[in-house]
Amino acid sequence: IGIEKKRLSTVTINDVRIVKKRDMSNVVRCVLFSPEDLFLVKGEPQFRRSFMDNCLCQLSARYQKSLNNYEKLLKGKQKILRDGTDYSYLQSVNLQLAQYSIDIIDMRRRMCTALEKHAQAFHHQMTNKKETLTLRYKTIPYADKEITRDEIGELVLKRFMDSYDAEIAAHTTLVGIQRDDIEIFINGSEAKKFASQGQARTAAISLKFAERELLREDEDYPIMLLDDVLNFRLVVLYQSHCLLQK
C-alpha cells in the first residue's frame, strides 16, 4: 500500500495494481474504530447504511456489484425526475432497481440478524448484562420479514409503482433501499432518541466488535484500526475485551 502526499493512494498485490476496492475484500479485511462511530447510534440513517455497506462489500463481491449498479441507476432516475421532460424510461429503470434491490435487501436483513446476535453478546459483556441491545432492519414494508427473494422483488416493484405519480410530482425519488436504516434499541427504548452519550458509545462499540466477528474468516480476524484521536475509554474497553477473549 503506497500513500504519497498530494497523490492518490496505490495498492498492489503481487506487483499488480488494484483499481477496484472490491478486489481487496478477498485479500484484506479491516474494521475502523473512530470518534465518528457515535453517529451509528445518534446520527442520521446514512451513517448506518454506510456501516452496512462497508461491511457487506467486504463480505460479498456480489453485494458490491448490486449496490454499484443500483446507485448508477438511481442517479439516472434522479436525472429523469429532475429534468421532468421524458418519463418513458422510468418504468424500465424501476424494474431494474427492483431487481438489484433483491440482493441488497436480502443480504442486509441477514446481516442485521447476525449483527444483533454478536452485538448483544458484546453489549452484555460491557454492561454486566444490565442492558440488552436489539436491532431492527428498516426497509421497504414487509421486505424485512422472512419472505422469499422473489417476494422481495415484488414488494419493491409495487412500492415503486405506488409512488410513480408522487415521485414525478416531487421531481425526486421518494422510495427505495437508499432510505434503509437500522433501528437500535437499548432495553426496548430507541437509542437514537433516549440513549445517553455513554450508552450510545457503548452501543457503537458493540456494533463495531460485532462487525469484526462478521468479517472473521475461521480464526483470522480482520485488521482493527484505532483512530489516533480515539478517546481513552474506547481504548480501555477494547483492551479489556481482548483480555476477556483470551
Side-chain angles (χ1 to χ4, degrees):
I1 300 177
I3 301 176
E4 300 180 37
K5 190 175 181 180
K6 296 183 179 180
R7 294 185 63 181
L8 293 174
S9 300
T10 59
V11 177
T12 59
I13 299 175
N14 295 332
D15 296 324
V16 177
R17 184 175 178 180
I18 301 300
V19 178
K20 298 179 180 178
K21 288 196 296 183
R22 66 169 175 262
D23 294 335
M24 286 288 295
S25 61
N26 292 325
V27 179
V28 58
R29 295 177 175 181
C30 67
V31 176
L32 172 66
F33 281 75
S34 72
E36 287 74 25
D37 289 336
L38 277 178
F39 292 123
L40 278 176
V41 180
K42 290 289 191 177
E44 296 305 308
Q46 68 193 59
F47 294 103
R48 291 176 288 278
R49 283 196 300 273
S50 294
F51 174 67
M52 286 191 285
D53 292 341
N54 290 337
C55 182
L56 284 167
C57 283
Q58 293 187 76
L59 287 170
S60 170
R62 177 172 176 169
Y63 180 88
Q64 180 150 8
K65 184 177 180 180
S66 293
L67 184 65
N68 288 344
N69 288 334
Y70 184 96
E71 289 175 344
K72 288 177 184 177
L73 281 167
L74 186 64
K75 287 181 181 178
K77 180 178 178 178
Q78 288 278 32
K79 187 177 188 306
I80 291 173
L81 292 169
R82 185 176 61 250
D83 293 346
T85 54
D86 183 5
Y87 300 115
S88 59
Y89 294 105
L90 197 54
Q91 292 284 22
S92 175
V93 171
N94 281 340
L95 183 60
Q96 293 178 73
L97 286 170
Q99 287 300 310
Y100 288 122
S101 295
I102 295 173
D103 273 341
I104 296 168
I105 290 175
D106 186 39
M107 292 188 200
R108 282 180 177 177
R109 66 177 181 173
R110 287 191 281 121
M111 173 201 168
C112 285
T113 298
L115 188 73
E116 181 184 64
K117 176 184 175 182
H118 293 300
Q120 275 185 354
F122 291 123
H123 203 80
H124 277 155
Q125 230 174 41
M126 289 187 281
T127 63
N128 294 318
K129 295 186 177 181
K130 294 178 180 178
E131 295 178 357
T132 297
L133 183 72
T134 53
L135 307 176
R136 181 189 299 156
Y137 174 42
K138 185 178 180 182
T139 185
I140 298 290
Y142 306 111
D144 59 330
K145 308 300 181 184
E146 289 300 320
I147 59 176
T148 66
R149 288 168 56 85
D150 286 343
E151 288 172 327
I152 291 175
E154 291 170 4
L155 283 171
V156 175
L157 187 57
K158 183 179 185 303
R159 187 71 166 173
F160 285 144
M161 292 172 63
D162 291 344
S163 303
Y164 184 84
D165 292 335
E167 289 187 326
I168 289 176
H171 294 287
T172 189
T173 58
L174 300 174
V175 297
I177 56 93
Q178 72 275 10
R179 294 175 177 268
D180 282 4
D181 195 3
I182 300 177
E183 293 179 321
I184 303 169
F185 300 88
I186 298 175
N187 290 341
S189 297
E190 190 176 355
K192 183 177 180 179
K193 294 179 180 178
F194 302 108
S196 66
Q197 193 80 346
Q199 286 177 315
R201 183 178 292 109
T202 302
I205 295 168
S206 298
L207 289 169
K208 298 301 288 187
F209 278 131
E211 179 188 11
R212 175 176 178 254
E213 288 296 323
L214 294 185
L215 294 176
R216 175 182 175 183
E217 294 183 293
D218 297 323
E219 296 303 316
D220 294 327
Y221 280 94
I223 296 170
M224 299 197 69
L225 304 175
L226 290 167
D227 194 307
D228 60 354
V229 297
L230 203 58
N231 63 64
F232 179 71
R233 185 184 176 201
L234 177 58
V235 177
V236 170
L237 284 170
Y238 168 65
Q239 292 174 333
S240 299
H241 174 74
C242 288
L243 291 174
L244 288 169
Q245 291 297 300
K246 292 183 178 179

